[in-house]
Amino acid sequence: MKKFFTSGAWIIVCRGLKGACRQAKGEHNAVTPSLTIGYIDEAKVIKATQKSERQPYDVVRQALKEIELEWFKLEDYVDLNGLAERTSGLDSENYDPIEHLNAIFSHPSSVSSVPRTSRALRIYQDELDNEISSFISQQAASDFDSVKRMQTAKADLAQLFRKVEGVRDRALQTEETITQMTAEIKRLDNTKRNLTLSMTALKRLQMLTTAYEQLRGLSSSRQYRECAQLLQAVLQLMAHFKSYRSIDQIATLSRNVADLQRELQEQVCEDFEVTFAKGELGQRKGILAEACLVMNALGENAKSRLIMWYCNTQLREYRKIFRGNEEAGSLDNISRRFSWFKRMLKTYDDEHAAMFPLTWRVNEMLANAFCESTRDDFRGILSRSTRKAEGQSLNVDLLLSCLQETLDFEHGLERRFTTTSRASIDTLSSNDEKTPVFTQAISEAFEPYLSLWVEAQDKNLSAMIAKYRQQPPKLPDEEFSPQMVISSSTELFNFYRLTLAQCAKLSPGARLVELTKVFAKYLDHYAQQILLYYVSERPTGQSPSKIPPIEDIVLVLNTADYCFNTCNQLEEKIKSRIDENLRPNIDLQSQADAFMGIASATVRALVRRVEIQIEPVWREMRNVGWNKMESVGDQSSYVEEMLRKIKSNASEILGMLHKQQYARAFCDNLVELVASSYLSNIFQCKPISEVGAEQMLLDTYVLKKGFEDLLAIALPPKANTPSSYLKRVAQSMSRIDPVLKTLQVRPSPLEALVQAYLIHIADKSDVNFRKILELKGIVRKQDQAHLIDLFQAHRASPRNNALPQSSSLFTNLGFQPPSSTTAGANLASGLGSLSTAASVSTANLQARFDPATLGNAIMSAARDGVDRFGSPAIVGNSSLNNQTSGTSTTTATAAQQQQQQPAGGLEGTGGAPAVPAAGTSTPGNLNENLRNIGKFFKRDMVSWRS
């Protein structure tokens, strides 16, 4: 067995036995794990093994006897002999020998095969050792071959380096050989170059010497045309010998050439002087023209000397005439100066222009010299005129006339001597990139005295404002249009435009800043004394006072809007004309805000007209027996009448307003007025029963629905009413609900009334609670005292700690009926009310202008403040200076002030209020208040558009 049975044969027989056993098991249905070889036909096993492994019969038979399969389980035998077949498992990194042995000797009967198994493993181990030895031998042989190949590569590389070094040495030798071969050629090249330079220098020296000698001869014979050409050649040749001046001969020649240049320059100047002195210009004009070519060749200094001499010669007579004679040099004769120079230019064009090259621009130089001389003369004349006047101002008309003539003269020079087109002085921008040459060349002398011109414009504007005060907003025969503005406003801004263009032409500096201040001053005057005056009510001694017509009010509104927009445009135009460093000083935003304040006042004036129309309705409301109602019916009769009058008047007014933002402002103000008036009249209807309060609540709902459709009159067809307006209506009318809901609660039990007050009115004021009790008819002191004690007890509860001391419903709430008499008195509160409005607006309005608190105050100042500009007594009245936020001017004091003011305006104005005197504080206060109101009104309009 040892002789025939190698490990390979063992594996083969075992494989065959395994297949035969499986086949036998399948035939005998041997499924139990204890099946042994005794149950298998030996011939079939040998045959199966011989067939599967292709081994001889004797080998298989001998193997079966040697292994002695008796009492071995078939599967165990296969696993034991599978050791050789599955030797690959021994190569695993996770191989476990214990597990493998347990698998081989899984049955006690297999213990007898331990020697055989051990012998098989030793055989397998020996074979592995042989294989390893074989691999080591092969690897050793392979390493030796690698080392041998590396040594061969090193030797080849060293040989390659030796070859490269040899090539480099040969290249150096070749280069050295070539250098030696070309050295002689280089020396020959250098010699040739130096010889060429020497020959060129000698040739040029010869040419220079010859040209110099010829130039001396030509100069002595005054052949200037040839001299000019030859002089240019001499100067060019001398430029080549600058580096050779250390040579004596070259230095001497250079000095001779310089002397000849000076001689030529003096000779030409002498010829010009002699010719002009003797008047032989006609005969020698050609020679002088050729002499100019010589001066041109001599350089800029020579040319400038000749031009300067010519200008001084031509202006000598001018200076003698206008500086030596005081009468001829006065401002009255300024036109003679310009006429004289125009004749001089004509003489130049006819007689002298042919002498000078065009590139010299001698006529322009002559004009510059004339402008400089004339500017110095004007400065002296203006200074002497001021001293002679002993501090008095100069004649402004004469000054402006002289300045205008000077500007026209400068403009004419600019057109003549500027090749590109000159920009118009009335445009904001210019495409002319060339810097003006003659702008302010002479008029600069007038700039220190332009303040007189600004003062003259101030006087003109003052006269215009006084004239506008006498004019009606619209001529009787003029047809009204919703887009129409007052003609005086367009006339005023047209005057501004012309004056601005003139001032920008005179001086774009400090004087333009002064003019801007004058513009701002009279914009304020126009707003106060013209526009605000047109919309102010006129006291008639009766009730009500005279209200301006709707057309006049709309005209003022359109004009204020036009002035607001034009103010912003005027500011931008001034900034575009003025010097850049002065632009921060230009600000007309305050004036624009003041015009927006006028617009707000006109809107309130329109609301005032509706207010007067619905006054009888309020009387009807106050005459209703609200405490005797037994049941709630439909809307009250006064509500229907009120809505009819409101919609009738609103339709007429809204039809004249062509801008949606002003229509919205009118509706908002009207709703606020009616809501405030309704709340005020509620307190005049006492006592009010629970049923009466419920009826009033129904009436307010009907009014609210009517107001929601009010703005639709001004909207385009099929346009939806803005949600912000509906919200505003609901907010305004909701201020009435807390009072009426409190009045709806019966006084029994008493706690119910107290709790209703704390819920709806929601404040801690005993005074306000007592007013509610009076509205309900609880007037007996005993009943009020008991309820007030109960109110104080509930008020002290922790849940009511956050309540305010007084509800805003009672702030600024008057408990007198707003009759026409008291309304007229309120209008007389004037500047005090407007100051109050400003303080209320800044103290209470955080996000939005509230017409409910500012409306009456705006129109109080608008209707009466202007009429009292010239009244020191009213200005000094303490009632106008001691206003606090949240309070209104006392009506009695206002009425008294109104009586002090004569009807029809102040004396000397023809029924119109006088212009305020200088130093009066009232216009300044009114300006400031108008600006503040305008800012809030402008912000409100922005929110409407958004």
Side-chain angles (χ1 to χ4, degrees), residues 611 614-627 636 638 642 677-688 696 814-822:
E611 180 184 5
I614 63 175
E615 175 58 31
V617 179
W618 295 126
R619 287 198 298 268
E620 180 183 350
M621 173 185 174
R622 292 193 295 271
N623 292 333
V624 174
W626 297 102
N627 63 328
S636 301
Y638 76 92
M642 181 185 295
S677 299
Y678 196 98
L679 187 60
S680 177
N681 278 278
I682 287 176
F683 286 88
Q684 304 303 316
C685 295
K686 57 186 177 183
I688 301 174
M696 284 186 174
F815 295 101
Q816 297 295 330
S819 64
S820 300
T821 303
T822 57

Side-chain angles (χ1 to χ4, degrees), residues 5-64:
F5 234 11
T6 63
S7 60
W10 180 284
I11 294 172
I12 292 171
V13 173
C14 290
R15 286 177 186 170
L17 290 175
K18 185 175 180 181
C21 291
R22 286 180 179 175
Q23 183 179 0
K25 288 169 61 178
E27 292 177 356
H28 295 85
N29 296 323
V31 294
T32 60
S34 59
L35 180 64
T36 63
I37 195 63
Y39 298 101
I40 303 175
D41 187 280
E42 183 179 353
K44 288 184 179 181
V45 173
I46 294 173
K47 185 178 181 179
T49 302
Q50 189 177 5
K51 181 180 180 181
S52 63
E53 298 301 329
R54 296 181 181 179
Q55 294 293 335
Y57 175 84
D58 294 338
V59 173
V60 176
R61 183 77 177 95
Q62 182 65 28
L64 289 176

Side-chain angles (χ1 to χ4, degrees), residues 620-906:
E620 180 183 350
M621 173 185 174
R622 292 193 295 271
N623 292 333
V624 174
W626 297 102
N627 63 328
K628 298 179 182 179
M629 286 189 175
E630 297 180 355
S631 62
V632 178
D634 294 334
Q635 64 189 37
S636 301
S637 59
Y638 76 92
V639 174
E640 183 178 358
E641 180 66 14
M642 181 185 295
L643 288 176
R644 185 186 65 80
K645 289 187 175 183
I646 288 176
K647 291 185 177 181
S648 174
N649 286 272
S651 298
E652 181 182 5
I653 292 172
L654 292 174
M656 297 183 180
L657 301 179
H658 70 286
K659 286 194 174 183
Q660 291 294 329
Q661 59 262 34
Y662 295 119
R664 170 67 186 276
F666 169 77
C667 294
D668 282 354
N669 277 268
L670 182 58
V671 172
E672 290 289 347
L673 170 71
V674 175
S676 300
S677 299
Y678 196 98
L679 187 60
S680 177
N681 278 278
I682 287 176
F683 286 88
Q684 304 303 316
C685 295
K686 57 186 177 183
I688 301 174
S689 65
E690 292 78 11
V691 177
E694 189 174 355
Q695 180 65 46
M696 284 186 174
L697 200 59
L698 175 62
D699 293 341
T700 58
Y701 176 79
V702 175
L703 286 175
K704 175 186 173 183
K705 290 299 180 182
F707 290 150
E708 289 178 352
D709 300 331
L710 192 61
L711 185 59
I713 300 174
L715 296 176
K718 299 182 180 180
N720 296 326
T721 303
S723 59
S724 59
Y725 171 73
L726 299 178
K727 184 178 179 181
R728 185 67 176 271
V729 171
Q731 181 182 2
S732 300
M733 299 302 294
S734 63
R735 294 188 292 115
I736 307 173
D737 294 348
V739 175
L740 296 179
K741 288 180 180 179
T742 304
L743 294 177
Q744 278 185 292
V745 179
R746 297 182 181 277
S748 177
L750 301 179
E751 288 82 357
L753 180 60
V754 173
Q755 290 294 342
Y757 180 89
L758 292 174
I759 292 173
H760 298 300
I761 306 299
D763 69 5
K764 300 179 181 181
S765 174
D766 293 341
V767 177
N768 295 343
F769 183 67
R770 188 176 283 108
K771 287 179 172 54
I772 295 297
L773 296 181
E774 292 175 358
L775 271 179
K776 290 190 67 66
I778 304 174
V779 295
R780 290 185 7 176
K781 293 185 178 180
Q782 297 86 346
D783 298 339
Q784 284 190 0
H786 184 60
L787 283 168
I788 289 175
D789 291 341
L790 189 61
F791 170 71
Q792 292 175 348
H794 282 274
R795 181 183 63 188
S797 174
R799 64 181 179 181
N800 295 322
N801 289 339
L803 296 180
Q805 190 61 37
S806 179
S807 173
S808 59
L809 293 174
F810 296 89
T811 303
N812 296 329
L813 184 62
F815 295 101
Q816 297 295 330
S819 64
S820 300
T821 303
T822 57
N826 283 331
L827 295 177
S829 59
L831 293 173
S833 296
L834 195 55
S835 299
T836 302
S839 63
V840 169
S841 65
T842 55
N844 298 330
L845 295 182
Q846 299 179 356
R848 181 180 177 86
F849 172 74
D850 189 0
T853 57
L854 290 180
N856 291 326
I858 295 172
M859 284 310 301
S860 296
R863 294 164 182 148
D864 186 66
V866 178
D867 294 335
R868 294 185 283 106
F869 278 164
S871 178
I874 294 177
V875 174
N877 194 300
S878 61
S879 67
L880 299 178
N881 300 324
N882 298 323
Q883 300 294 332
T884 58
S885 177
T887 62
S888 60
T889 308
T890 306
T891 57
T893 303
Q896 182 180 1
Q897 294 171 357
Q898 183 72 17
Q899 293 172 2
Q900 293 174 356
Q901 176 68 38
L906 298 178

Side-chain angles (χ1 to χ4, degrees), residues 208 212 234-235 238 252-261:
L208 177 59
Y212 169 72
V234 170
L235 295 178
M238 282 300 305
T252 302
L253 182 59
S254 178
R255 286 192 297 268
N256 293 337
V257 172
D259 293 339
L260 181 58
Q261 286 179 296

